[in-house]
Amino acid sequence: MSYEINTLTADCYEGTTCLINKFGITNEKQLENIEADYLMISTIQAAHGITDNLIKIFSRYIYKI
């Protein structure tokens, strides 16, 4: 997932276009992989009735039109 970011105004790590994140990852591709893994784990948990993480993901990335 690529983003168009103005690194002068966005909350990015210095010298990168990678948004500051709770993992401390400054490599965009590595961050995408971590996010994909987190989504997969959350989806598996939701299949077992634990939906908290999946709800957080959807509320953050999916907006009502």
Side-chain angles (χ1 to χ4, degrees), residues 34-55:
I34 294 290
E35 289 174 337
D37 289 347
Y38 185 65
L39 176 60
M40 181 182 65
I41 291 167
S42 298
T43 302
I44 292 168
Q45 288 175 336
H48 295 284
I50 304 167
T51 58
D52 296 346
N53 289 333
L54 199 57
I55 290 170

Side-chain angles (χ1 to χ4, degrees), residues 9-63:
T9 58
D11 290 330
C12 295
Y13 289 104
E14 189 174 333
T16 73
T17 57
C18 192
L19 292 172
I20 295 172
N21 56 80
K22 66 181 179 180
F23 305 110
I25 297 172
T26 58
N27 179 290
E28 222 171 314
K29 188 65 177 169
Q30 187 180 9
L31 181 60
E32 288 176 11
N33 290 337
I34 294 290
E35 289 174 337
D37 289 347
Y38 185 65
L39 176 60
M40 181 182 65
I41 291 167
S42 298
T43 302
I44 292 168
Q45 288 175 336
H48 295 284
I50 304 167
T51 58
D52 296 346
N53 289 333
L54 199 57
I55 290 170
K56 286 179 191 174
I57 292 169
F58 285 142
S59 66
R60 190 176 314 148
Y61 295 108
I62 299 177
Y63 305 98

